Amino acid sequence: MAAASEPVDSGAFWGPVRPEPPPTRFHRVHGANIRVDPSGTRATRVESFAHGVCFSREPLAPGQVFLVEIEEKELGWCGHLRLGLTALDPASLAAVPEFSLPDLVNLGHTWVFAITRHHNRVPRDDSPEAEAEAAAPSRPPALLVEPYLCIEQFRIPRDRLVGRSRPGLYSHLLDQLYELNVLPPTARRSRLGVLFCPRPDRTADMHIVINGEDMGPSARGLPAAQPLYAVVDVFASTKSVRLVQLEYGLPSLQTLCRLVIQRSLVHRLAIDGLHLPKELKDFCKYE
């Protein structure tokens, strides 16, 4: 499998061009209460709080982020989105388990992380210093300055990893809360992703990314040589998610235009007054 993200290189801003992995889509195999839209990019749990397990259509490439945005929440349930990886081929399952935790994990070769409102960072070792670092608040300046998120040997453009509020009078203020990771990761419009990073011993680490920030290796010792599918459990208070596509090589002209326009305006409502094609204005406001 070809690496999806760039190895860390502090030289050129955009780095060398790498092949783009195929767009991410949800698998046709999923939980009984899940409905996937015709594009394969939106998964909604239509009833109850369980039977919401989804998979990626294809195995992930090393460093490829399977990124979802929380679109809808449902009050009255306890629990949130769950993310992970599995070496099980979804098409080979006799039935999709009711829960990713513990049911799918108990089938073996599956690693799932339950997202909570707080304390999602994983210490890199068991020392008191590492635990204190995991519990410490995020470092906002780095999130605002660094255009890339560096995870082990991969460098991933940060722009699309961060959640964005709906366009409105105060969207420029709300967007900063996503950028600073102040809002709970379980909030509507938060963006969460999972990826794996191979290691020299032919195993891999699983990482969870929340609004552009790496939470650390949430699982180690994954079989890097086996196909690994993303697992998304649309569980309890999380009702609907949509996939967000990333650009791993050179950014498209459309993305460059969006970045220039967004940086020139105070908030996204002002985009409506620009003499631009509607498609570009919508892309600037909503993506």
Side-chain angles (χ1 to χ4, degrees), residues 1 27 29 53-60 83-93 96-97 100 103-113 194-196 206 219 222-223 226-232:
M1 290 184 288
H27 203 284
V29 174
V53 176
C54 306
F55 305 95
S56 61
R57 181 181 296 177
E58 304 290 340
L60 300 185
L83 288 175
L85 297 167
T86 182
L88 304 174
D89 184 347
S92 69
L93 296 175
V96 178
S100 60
D103 300 1
L104 184 63
V105 170
N106 286 344
L107 295 180
H109 306 288
T110 302
W111 304 263
V112 175
F113 188 85
V194 62
L195 71 154
F196 72 93
M206 180 177 84
L222 280 68
Q226 296 185 31
L228 293 172
Y229 295 82
V231 177
V232 178

Side-chain angles (χ1 to χ4, degrees), residues 21-241:
T24 54
R25 295 289 186 269
F26 286 113
H27 203 284
R28 59 178 176 81
V29 174
H30 50 70
N33 288 336
I34 285 293
R35 300 294 181 268
V36 175
D37 77 333
S39 71
T41 62
R42 182 175 281 100
T44 303
R45 193 186 69 252
V46 294
E47 62 179 288
S48 183
F49 64 95
H51 288 290
V53 176
C54 306
F55 305 95
S56 61
R57 181 181 296 177
E58 304 290 340
L60 300 185
Q64 181 184 11
V65 184
F66 196 79
L67 184 68
V68 299
E69 179 179 282
I70 298 176
E71 282 216 316
E72 294 183 51
K73 304 288 296 287
E74 188 170 55
L75 299 177
W77 303 116
C78 181
H80 305 281
L81 187 74
R82 296 165 173 183
L83 288 175
L85 297 167
T86 182
L88 304 174
D89 184 347
S92 69
L93 296 175
V96 178
E98 183 177 6
F99 303 103
S100 60
L101 283 172
D103 300 1
L104 184 63
V105 170
N106 286 344
L107 295 180
H109 306 288
T110 302
W111 304 263
V112 175
F113 188 85
I115 305 298
T116 64
R117 286 176 57 86
H118 309 287
H119 309 301
N120 292 291
R121 191 183 304 280
V122 179
R124 297 184 181 274
D125 55 59
D126 296 329
S127 66
E129 293 79 6
E131 293 180 1
E133 180 183 356
S138 307
R139 296 176 174 83
L143 291 178
L144 296 176
V145 173
E146 291 295 330
Y148 289 102
L149 173 64
C150 295
I151 303 178
E152 297 190 17
Q153 70 269 44
F154 297 107
R155 188 173 66 171
I156 306 164
R158 194 189 298 273
D159 176 51
R160 303 294 297 280
L161 294 175
V162 181
R164 305 182 73 215
S165 65
R166 296 187 181 278
L169 185 60
Y170 302 105
S171 58
H172 60 297
L173 300 177
L174 292 172
D175 288 347
Q176 291 182 16
L177 299 182
Y178 287 106
E179 292 172 355
L180 300 175
N181 235 338
V182 172
L183 295 175
T186 56
R188 187 181 285 107
R189 310 283 287 184
S190 281
R191 294 184 178 181
L192 306 97
V194 62
L195 71 154
F196 72 93
C197 302
R199 299 183 62 83
D201 62 359
R202 297 186 179 181
T203 66
D205 293 344
M206 180 177 84
H207 286 252
I208 300 295
V209 177
I210 297 177
N211 285 322
E213 188 172 3
D214 175 28
M215 296 293 109
S218 54
R220 297 183 183 273
L222 280 68
Q226 296 185 31
L228 293 172
Y229 295 82
V231 177
V232 178
D233 192 350
V234 187
F235 175 68
S237 66
T238 305
K239 183 174 179 63
S240 180
V241 298

